[in-house]
Amino acid sequence: MYDIRHIAGLFDLRADYVFGAPYGSGHINDTFRIEVDQAGIRTRFILQRVNSNVFKQPIPLMENVKRVTDEALRVLLAEGCKEAYRRTLTIIPAKDGKPYAQDEEGNVWRVYPFIERARTYDMIENPGQCIEVARAFGNFQKLGANLPGEPLFETIPDFHNTTKRFRNFQNAIATDPLGRAKSVQKEIDWFLAREADCHKVVNYLASGELPLRVTHNDTKLNNVMLDDVTGGGVCVIDLDTTMPGSSLYDFGDMIRTSTSPAAEDEKDISKVTMRMEYFEALAKGYCEAATFLTPLEKSLLPFSGKLLTMECGMRFLTDYLEGDTYFKIKRPEHNLDRTRTQMALVESIEAQMDAMMRFVEHD
Ligand code: ADP
Ligand code: GN1
Ligand code: MG
């Protein structure tokens, strides 16, 4: 579909192109792994097309990514880190010096070094990984706290505004362009019954009771790379949604993606459950790194898992109603299967909320 050799040639790789192929299991961008020959050494890079259907302004987005990765590199080097270029994404500039390149159709592309000897996981394997994941994202937030200059550009306005997400959902039900609503009435009613929860964090942010921080906003498990040998957190990736947000958005999505033994699109929802041991590990790793949390933020950590899982389920169902235009799907009812796993996970969290509260310090 794309001439990857040609697009790779727009970047200052100082190497001969060898090979390129689609890579990863992200739902948004078009990701390719490319191999080049740099004066006799085979090197890999990640080449990505920024999804401009999702990110309407990819150029300011790339400016955000440049600022955030420059700052991460600066801090790592100042700390004397011996593998700073493996601990943060860094942008390989295009031949014209820009942090991105545009093809003839106007698509925005970028290149990152391929982080070697580490990998992402679509499914969590043990609670030890939760500690690493939570620490990595917590440290990433710490970095944002000292980012110099203007606030970051909002790459998707109201990304986690669950009040607006709820309105969009109601809108999709009302317009129902594909006539799918009647076949998913049970799922629709399930979300409608939980409206009150959607306003809680939004209201606390509006009143100033919760602070806005620089957050990643897409802390799903496969957006952090863990070392192949030590299992330790190496590098936080997928920085497109790094912008002002609540710490609860980041922690909540960790609960959503790192506590259940079932895949996000598992058809057998009896497998979906929030495992307390995994939650406990997440809370431990996160609170160790995120030393800046206020008592209110801490007290809402368990709720954040419910909120972000509900939000994501509502987004999958909205996309299903709207004809699967946002998330990449691999089968006709993919978004519906995803919706149902999120509902099951919310129910599991609801059933264990009191016990979860015991693992977080709060007033
Ligand atoms: P999406 O927004 O579509 O999720 P990501 O930026 O998360 O895109 O990339 C998709 C996948 O590609 C990741 O889950 C990860 O497995 C892999 N990936 C992305 N960047 C790198 C990198 N620099 N090094 C190695 N693998 C990467
Ligand atoms: C998308 O880009 P990716 O695959 O890491 C989505 C997240 C959802 C997630 C659900 C920009 O994440 O918000 O939670 O899918 N990213 C965007 O799996 O919408
Ligand atoms: Mg991703």
Side-chain angles (χ1 to χ4, degrees), residues 290-325:
T291 45
F292 43 77
L293 295 177
T294 67
L296 182 60
E297 282 174 302
K298 278 191 188 165
S299 72
L300 288 168
L301 291 176
F303 173 75
S304 75
K306 176 179 177 184
L307 180 68
L308 270 285
T309 309
M310 204 165 62
E311 178 197 299
C312 201
M314 202 162 68
R315 291 173 64 197
F316 288 143
L317 188 53
T318 303
D319 198 32
Y320 180 72
L321 292 170
E322 288 176 344
D324 307 305
T325 58

Side-chain angles (χ1 to χ4, degrees), residues 25-29 54-55 156 159-160 165 217-218 220 222-223 238 240-241 253 256-257 264 311-312 315-316 326-327 338:
S25 54
H27 294 342
I28 303 294
N29 295 309
V54 166
F55 300 106
I156 302 182
F159 189 52
H160 286 302
R165 292 278 183 199
N217 295 304
D218 190 2
K220 73 194 245 194
N222 72 11
N223 286 332
D238 202 348
D240 301 333
T241 51
D253 215 53
R256 182 182 81 78
T257 59
E264 186 181 71
E311 178 197 299
C312 201
R315 291 173 64 197
F316 288 143
Y326 187 95
F327 295 104
R338 291 169 175 153

Side-chain angles (χ1 to χ4, degrees), residues 127-145:
Q129 291 180 329
C130 287
I131 298 201
E132 294 301 328
V133 166
R135 232 183 236 150
F137 284 121
N139 285 331
F140 182 83
Q141 287 181 347
K142 246 188 193 158
L143 211 86

